[in-house]
Amino acid sequence: MQAKRYTSNLTQSEYETIKQFLPGQKTNKLKYQWIDILNAIFYVEKNGCTWRDIPADLPPWEVCYYHFKKLKITGFWESVKIALNKLVRTLIEDKQALPSCFLLDTQSVKNTDTGCETGIDGNKKIKGIKKSLLNDTLGLNWGRRVKSANTGDRECGYATIEQAKNYLKSCETIKADEGYHGEGFGINILDQYGISIEIVGKLPNQIGFQVLPMRWVTERSNAWMDKCRRMWKNCERLVDTAEAMIDICFLRIALRRLGKSRMEC
């Protein structure tokens, strides 16, 4: 059956970019091509369907889920996301590979009946999980942790920074909102990692909503995640699967930017 064209499909230039990171086959060749397997995984993530509802013109769902799980266990999704982030920064934005400034934020998401790590965020009145994200000033993600929604922002921040510590070698400042203020959070991060925490609060005499410096970048990244229907709510049974879906989301964003740049050249 000839595969249809879906909006989540890789273009040829995008596939050429990611192909160099794909694992090689030591024994028999794959029955299905990598581009079709990746298109099926991206279809699930973007359109929010279950694995069993993958269209018939794509590889069988068992094959797609097997490779998704295998790549998740080996850390493929995170490592490729980071590698593509570096390419976007150096090749397109003419910046250093590792950022000097990061943005730290959390997003609470409702759980479905199969969701993991259930808790209640008392501030936002949401029962589900809390996604903690460490992004650069381009909106690209470098660190992520998924906790229950009743976990405090500072505790999530510690875990996210620790998970992304290998990418903080050039970091001087992490900007965060007022939820990270207090209880020695900034002092502990400065002592442990040598990074200063800058709290971006409301503007003086602010009345109503106003766009805060650099905070809009974080909110834009959250909006990018919301374009993936699989992530509107948390339906993942495992925490590492929810984190892998975050990696795939931002991997696709970096891949699209690199693909467009290659086409323009």
Side-chain angles (χ1 to χ4, degrees):
M1 182 183 297
Q2 185 177 4
K4 297 180 181 178
R5 179 66 191 169
Y6 301 102
T7 56
S8 56
N9 281 10
L10 292 168
T11 64
Q12 191 59 40
S13 61
E14 291 168 357
Y15 179 65
E16 291 298 326
T17 302
I18 198 174
K19 184 170 66 172
Q20 60 183 309
F21 303 106
L22 293 171
Q25 289 299 115
K26 296 181 180 179
T27 55
N28 298 332
K29 286 187 176 181
L30 290 175
K31 183 177 179 180
Y32 300 94
Q33 295 183 4
W34 267 117
I35 188 171
D36 294 326
I37 295 173
L38 292 174
N39 283 339
I41 294 173
F42 294 165
Y43 181 92
V44 169
E45 197 248 359
K46 183 176 185 295
N47 294 287
C49 71
T50 62
W51 290 100
R52 288 173 172 81
D53 289 333
I54 290 176
D57 56 305
L58 292 170
W61 76 267
E62 298 93 339
V63 174
C64 301
Y65 180 74
Y66 167 80
H67 285 289
F68 164 78
K69 184 177 180 181
K70 184 177 179 180
L71 295 175
K72 177 189 72 173
I73 293 173
T74 59
F76 171 85
W77 300 118
E78 181 187 4
S79 62
V80 173
K81 175 193 71 177
I82 297 300
L84 295 178
N85 286 351
K86 293 179 180 178
L87 290 177
V88 170
R89 291 181 60 86
T90 55
L91 298 181
I92 299 178
E93 301 295 337
D94 195 24
K95 294 178 177 290
Q96 296 294 324
L98 295 178
S100 60
C101 178
F102 284 93
L103 312 173
L104 184 63
D105 194 27
T106 60
Q107 181 191 46
S108 295
V109 180
K110 292 182 179 179
N111 266 357
T112 62
D113 58 339
T114 60
C116 58
E117 292 289 324
T118 299
I120 298 178
D121 185 336
N123 292 325
K124 300 179 181 177
K125 306 297 187 293
I126 290 178
K127 182 179 180 180
I129 62 168
K130 181 174 287 186
K131 301 175 185 177
S132 179
L133 304 177
L134 188 67
N135 301 332
D136 63 14
T137 55
L138 300 176
L140 303 176
N141 178 255
W142 294 79
R144 78 284 180 272
R145 273 291 180 255
V146 171
K147 302 283 187 179
S148 58
N150 60 338
T151 307
D153 286 356
R154 288 183 291 273
E155 182 179 343
C156 291
Y158 283 126
T160 308
I161 293 173
E162 174 63 22
Q163 183 259 325
K165 63 181 179 181
N166 292 335
Y167 318 125
L168 303 179
K169 298 176 182 178
S170 301
C171 181
E172 300 174 358
T173 306
I174 295 178
K175 297 179 184 292
D177 63 20
E178 293 175 329
Y180 297 89
H181 184 72
E183 295 189 9
F185 178 75
I187 296 175
N188 292 336
I189 296 298
L190 183 62
D191 291 342
Q192 189 170 353
Y193 302 99
I195 301 171
S196 62
I197 299 295
E198 180 181 334
I199 302 299
V200 181
K202 292 184 177 181
L203 300 174
N205 302 321
Q206 177 178 338
I207 299 177
F209 173 79
Q210 289 190 35
V211 177
L212 300 179
M214 301 308 300
R215 291 290 306 154
W216 66 270
V217 177
T218 299
E219 300 303 330
R220 183 185 62 179
S221 296
N222 291 340
W224 286 345
M225 284 198 299
D226 289 341
K227 289 185 177 181
C228 300
R229 294 191 176 189
R230 183 84 177 192
M231 303 177 71
W232 283 1
K233 291 185 178 181
N234 175 47
C235 54
E236 312 302 341
R237 295 181 183 273
L238 301 175
V239 169
D240 59 353
T241 302
E243 292 176 344
M245 286 297 176
I246 296 175
D247 290 334
I248 293 175
C249 171
F250 285 97
L251 179 154
R252 290 180 65 244
I253 291 170
L255 203 56
R256 285 286 165 92
R257 296 188 66 175
L258 289 167
K260 289 180 180 179
S261 176
R262 177 175 289 191
M263 291 178 64
E264 292 172 357
C265 294

